[in-house]
Amino acid sequence: MGAKRQFKVWRGDETGGDLQDYQVEVNEGEVVLDVIHRLQATEAPDLACRWNCKAGKCGSCSMEINGMPRLGCMTRMSSFEENETVTVTPLRAFPVIRDLVTDVSFNYEKARQTPSFAPPAGVAPGEYRMQQVDVERSQEFRKCIECFLCQNTCHVVRDHEENKKAFAGPRFFIRAAELDMHPLDAREDRKEYAQASMGMGYCNITKCCTEVCPEHIKITDNAIIPMKERVVDRRYDPLVWLGRKIFRRDQIEAGTPGVDAVSKEHEVGQGVNWHREVPQPQTAAVGDDGRLPISEITFDKAGGPSPFGDDLTFPLPPRA
């Protein structure tokens, strides 16, 4: 016969609810999910709780235990003091359906929005070949069981419901990082997409997502921070910025000496419109005080529209 332990379990639905007290028998070696099942079998047969494998691999039994997002099947009762009251509540970042069950469809919507793996051109399935080091590099991120504890604990959506539209969350940042590392992925804009469309800039790397991950994925250190660094390298590196300002400025007009017809045709094919009228900058490069405006330094484009078009990145491809 196990000892009786004090529990507080949230009961309610989308209209509201509260914590209810229960005295539940706890046996040696049991986890919180065992206690929830015993509670359903004895005192609260209508208690709603989502679960499946009870082995820490399906991610279904996500809940908050004493305020910490955890898996019910992986939280042992022995980790609490014998006289400690164990409080079990639903995931706070998502709408409650009933009791401990929440609506996590937000995550599936973000999954559909995330661009999938793009196979390389000219390579059929079954012919993909990669180095083992590349396999191991991204294998960590493939351990995700989609428990969404990282999504739940991220304060960007946990405390600000209005951010959900623009913010994908750490679970999908590691997906973007995995594909960005993939040597066979044909998309080359993973980091830019994560910054522009997934809201990676909202993340201020508090590492709370890493702390709650049951698979011990180093979400912040191995995925988010490197992705942020690669975005900065592409957009804000001072040498890259300087290159955008001065690179090939002497060759932007059509008919520039040294640009023959063959190379011009090749470059037009790469997206450069050499016959386009060069637009004038909208603001002076230097202010009345003789200094460069701060907006000119921090903005990632020149003062006027680029004569090369917004779809071209530097450096230009080598001439044919």
Side-chain angles (χ1 to χ4, degrees), residues 197-246:
S197 301
M198 299 177 74
M200 192 171 64
Y202 283 82
C203 172
N204 56 8
I205 55 177
T206 56
K207 299 190 179 184
C208 50
C209 52
T210 301
E211 292 179 6
V212 300
C213 179
E215 288 293 322
H216 308 291
I217 302 172
K218 293 180 172 57
I219 300 171
T220 311
D221 291 337
N222 291 354
I224 297 177
I225 291 177
M227 284 285 281
K228 280 178 171 282
E229 289 174 343
R230 292 197 288 274
V231 169
V232 169
D233 287 344
R234 289 287 297 272
R235 294 181 62 88
Y236 304 110
D237 183 277
L239 293 179
V240 175
W241 171 84
L242 185 61
R244 288 197 184 106
K245 297 293 183 183
I246 66 176

Side-chain angles (χ1 to χ4, degrees), residues 248 251 257-260 262-264 266-267 274 316-320:
R248 296 180 63 86
Q251 298 182 25
V259 181
D260 57 40
V262 175
S263 62
K264 189 180 297 184
H266 170 72
E267 287 164 333
W274 295 100
L316 290 172
R319 299 187 183 186

Side-chain angles (χ1 to χ4, degrees), residues 136-251:
E136 295 170 351
R137 186 183 183 194
S138 61
Q139 188 65 28
E140 174 187 12
F141 307 130
R142 301 186 72 87
K143 296 192 301 181
C144 175
I145 61 174
E146 296 203 323
C147 60
F148 303 128
L149 293 181
C150 61
Q151 301 283 88
N152 175 69
T153 197
C154 180
H155 63 276
V156 177
V157 294
R158 184 180 176 93
D159 299 329
H160 304 279
E161 181 72 21
E162 66 276 11
N163 289 339
K164 285 186 176 180
K165 183 176 181 180
F167 187 73
R171 188 277 169 266
F172 302 103
F173 292 155
I174 67 172
R175 176 63 174 157
E178 174 203 341
L179 292 173
D180 192 46
M181 296 175 182
H182 203 299
L184 297 177
D185 183 54
R187 289 191 63 126
E188 298 179 354
D189 63 340
R190 297 288 179 185
K191 57 187 76 65
E192 289 82 1
Y193 182 86
Q195 174 72 14
S197 301
M198 299 177 74
M200 192 171 64
Y202 283 82
C203 172
N204 56 8
I205 55 177
T206 56
K207 299 190 179 184
C208 50
C209 52
T210 301
E211 292 179 6
V212 300
C213 179
E215 288 293 322
H216 308 291
I217 302 172
K218 293 180 172 57
I219 300 171
T220 311
D221 291 337
N222 291 354
I224 297 177
I225 291 177
M227 284 285 281
K228 280 178 171 282
E229 289 174 343
R230 292 197 288 274
V231 169
V232 169
D233 287 344
R234 289 287 297 272
R235 294 181 62 88
Y236 304 110
D237 183 277
L239 293 179
V240 175
W241 171 84
L242 185 61
R244 288 197 184 106
K245 297 293 183 183
I246 66 176
F247 191 74
R248 296 180 63 86
R249 284 300 176 98
D250 62 332
Q251 298 182 25

Side-chain angles (χ1 to χ4, degrees), residues 2-115:
K4 290 281 189 177
R5 300 284 294 274
Q6 183 69 29
F7 274 76
K8 285 183 177 290
V9 181
W10 196 89
R11 304 296 308 276
D13 54 27
E14 68 275 6
T15 62
D18 56 13
L19 290 170
Q20 295 188 15
D21 293 309
Y22 295 98
Q23 288 277 345
V24 191
E25 176 186 333
V26 176
N27 298 316
E28 184 177 358
E30 288 188 330
V31 295
V32 171
L33 187 59
D34 290 322
V35 178
I36 294 298
H37 286 166
R38 181 169 294 114
L39 188 58
Q40 290 174 322
T42 55
E43 300 181 51
D46 59 339
L47 173 61
C49 175
R50 185 183 282 132
W51 71 284
N52 187 21
C53 74
K54 202 182 174 185
K57 292 302 177 186
C58 73
S60 299
C61 61
S62 299
M63 57 186 70
E64 296 193 8
I65 303 171
N66 285 2
M68 176 66 74
R70 297 178 177 178
L71 293 178
C73 68
M74 298 298 288
T75 306
R76 294 201 171 275
M77 288 302 302
S78 58
S79 62
F80 305 105
E81 300 292 336
E82 291 187 3
N83 59 350
E84 182 177 359
T85 298
V86 179
T87 303
V88 184
T89 56
L91 298 179
R92 176 177 156 184
F94 307 116
V96 172
I97 296 177
R98 202 182 89 194
D99 298 339
L100 302 180
V101 178
T102 54
D103 180 2
V104 295
S105 58
F106 159 80
N107 302 285
Y108 300 114
E109 293 169 4
K110 293 300 179 182
R112 284 192 292 268
Q113 295 170 10
T114 303

Side-chain angles (χ1 to χ4, degrees), residues 262-277:
V262 175
S263 62
K264 189 180 297 184
E265 180 181 356
H266 170 72
E267 287 164 333
V268 170
Q270 295 298 320
V272 183
N273 184 2
W274 295 100
H275 304 288
R276 176 182 171 189
E277 182 180 353

